[in-house]
Amino acid sequence: MAHHRVTGGGSGIRQRGISRGLVFVLLALVLIAAVIVAWQQLGDHLDKQADSAAASCIEGPATVDVVADADVAPALIAIAREFGASKPVVRDHCITVAVRAGDAKTTLDGLAGNWDAASMGAFPAAWIPQSSVWAAELAQAKPSALEGTPTSLVTSPVVLATSAELGSKIDGKIDWGQVPTLQQRDDSLRDFDITGWGSLRMAMPLGAQSDASSLAAQAVAMRVMRTTGPLTNDDASSDRVASSVGAMLDGAPQSPDGSPVGAATVMRDATDAKTSPIHAVPITEQQLYKLTREDATARLAEIVPSGPTPFADFPIIRLAGDQVSPVSSAAIADFFRFAQDQKHLSLLTSQGFRGNAPLPPATKTVGFPITKEPMPQPENSAIVTINKLVYGRDFGPSA
């Protein structure tokens, strides 16, 4: 058999080379993969750098001040500690929130006029007074001092504290609209078949943390004017309201320290409730709870008059102006979002305030009843007008 010659030697199988195009494609893929890996590593590195910068607060620490009513200040201080433990960073600043108690009138004067840091402390980014009695005064006197509309931190209804004995006789029978007459007419408690007690003898404290006096006057004004909507300045300026509020104040027994708690203490400690110089006082439910929560037997009663129930609303007044930096403004917003989380707000509600967290168990005096008819918030101008009727025509920010 004949054989064909294969030139070039070898086994007779032709050698094929790898395509240059394929090599270039493979190299390109390798390069792309390498770039992707390098980019991811760079991104991770930058993220770590950013995290490190945030953790180290590259702009340094910043303290944000809050002035609060003395009743809420202790719990707010505890919430501020929890906030600090979360290591908050705002605009590259490590934030510390410093809460301190402050007198409402002194704070109002400073915010509406000239803030004296030497005597009053650092200018605050927010103020939480006992009620909108003070927010309205600031809004009327210096609206530019407020950043937005105040919102409530927690609330506490205004009730009447009486002796347990008197409370058992008038509970469910008294209306806010009756209060001025019961205050002024001799032996007025006979209306409830109570003899020998005289008139209502309701104290109207005008000292520190006495917002309940003005809030009670708002409720009486609504009843007198027979309005169901928010109290207007026209309502508050009427002669009928002025006469009714005057009747609440005229001859009212004095609280020994000018506070509702001081007046309630007089009733609690009286050896004979019938002859006590004070029979009743407007007070926040939380103040009454705090005063009586340790009592094994009831010595005082919580009376909720029929009609609109006023509330101490503890408004969060965020402040504006040159003394509040953008960092402070942003940080205070973060803080109050943190504070209003149920877990943290419970530090306040456990003390008898009402809010979006559990209340403490009922006591012998305070049962935390459902509020059937919450009073709508009056116009700011109406609040200011009622304040002047209660506290005097010169009440308001000092000039």
Side-chain angles (χ1 to χ4, degrees), residues 176-350:
W176 283 114
Q178 295 174 280
V179 168
T181 300
L182 293 172
Q183 183 82 322
Q184 285 300 309
R185 201 177 75 237
D186 291 340
D187 212 17
S188 61
L189 292 181
R190 277 185 176 273
D191 291 357
F192 305 97
D193 296 323
I194 304 171
T195 58
W197 285 68
S199 64
L200 185 59
R201 293 185 204 162
M202 184 179 75
M204 285 285 284
L206 304 178
Q209 294 184 291
S210 64
D211 295 21
S213 293
S214 188
L215 295 168
Q218 292 175 18
V220 168
M222 284 197 67
R223 258 344 208 189
V224 167
M225 297 306 295
R226 299 179 181 177
T227 181
T228 56
L231 194 71
T232 67
N233 193 47
D234 286 343
D235 294 330
S237 301
S238 73
D239 290 341
R240 291 166 63 189
V241 168
S243 175
S244 296
V245 174
M248 296 170 73
L249 292 162
D250 187 25
Q254 298 296 304
S255 169
D257 63 356
S259 76
V261 172
T265 302
V266 169
M267 293 185 288
R268 184 194 65 181
D269 296 343
T271 54
D272 182 358
K274 182 186 293 187
T275 60
S276 171
I278 300 174
H279 285 333
V281 64
I283 191 170
T284 69
E285 180 183 67
Q286 190 275 336
Q287 289 174 321
L288 185 58
Y289 168 78
K290 185 178 178 181
L291 178 64
T292 63
R293 61 184 165 184
E294 302 298 332
D295 291 351
T297 58
R299 291 185 284 173
L300 294 174
E302 175 187 25
I303 303 301
V304 181
S306 56
T309 298
F311 276 80
D313 58 344
F314 297 91
I316 301 169
I317 305 172
R318 292 179 56 193
L319 299 168
D322 295 340
Q323 297 189 73
V324 181
S325 70
V327 171
S328 293
S329 185
I332 210 65
D334 285 353
F335 171 65
F336 281 110
R337 277 193 292 270
F338 180 92
Q340 289 176 301
D341 179 84
Q342 188 177 83
K343 174 185 174 183
H344 309 298
L345 197 66
S346 64
L347 291 173
L348 281 159
T349 59
S350 65

Side-chain angles (χ1 to χ4, degrees), residues 55-69:
S56 60
C57 305
I58 57 176
E59 294 294 335
T63 298
V64 181
D65 288 85
V66 176
V67 175
D69 175 78

